[in-house]
Amino acid sequence: MESCMSTMVKYLLFTTNFLIFILGLTVFGLGIWVLVDKPSFLTLFEEAQSVSGTTDSFNVEIYTSAAYILLVVSFLVVLISFFGCCGAIKENKCMLGTYFTLILALFIVMVVGAVLGYSGDLDTTIKKPLKEALSKYKDDVTEQTNPLFAYKAAWNEVQQELQ
């Protein structure tokens, strides 16, 4: 029974990390696509901007820097999942130890980021934007092309979920 359970855990860890490895490679490829093929990416943003009806110009550098961040994070995910895959399938203690250390470090960074991210004033970061969005809610808007229809649809969905 013990051998069966350890084999199951081994293959479960391998399968999980392999799926994460594939998803990390996919996100890495998406980040490369954004950096290499900027014209089609900008066209995509212009189409989204025309559909939404906003006239605000957007800063392309923000999205380019987001692509770099996406590349770095996806590379780290691929690296960590590689250690998990190989360590699990080969039962290599060094790789599994590296995997555990990297996962632990990532968890600590996420907890610190969450604490720092939410340590701000909740009134200005959450309450005020929600009140502003609620003030734009118009119940008589019926045309889907009207930008206010999105506010109506979003708030109706929130109200249905909270019932």
Side-chain angles (χ1 to χ4, degrees), residues 38-71:
K38 283 184 187 176
S40 68
F41 187 66
L42 292 176
T43 304
L44 182 69
F45 267 107
E46 288 169 359
E47 288 176 11
Q49 189 176 15
S50 67
V51 167
S52 69
T54 59
T55 57
D56 299 335
S57 63
F58 60 92
N59 190 355
V60 178
E61 287 80 25
I62 292 173
Y63 299 105
T64 308
S65 63
Y68 286 118
I69 292 170
L70 199 66
L71 282 173

Side-chain angles (χ1 to χ4, degrees), residues 27-45:
V27 171
F28 192 76
L30 180 70
I32 289 174
W33 171 69
V34 167
L35 290 177
V36 170
D37 197 15
K38 283 184 187 176
S40 68
F41 187 66
L42 292 176
T43 304
L44 182 69
F45 267 107

Side-chain angles (χ1 to χ4, degrees), residues 108-120:
I108 291 170
V109 167
M110 286 172 45
V111 168
V112 168
V115 168
L116 292 176
Y118 291 115
S119 64

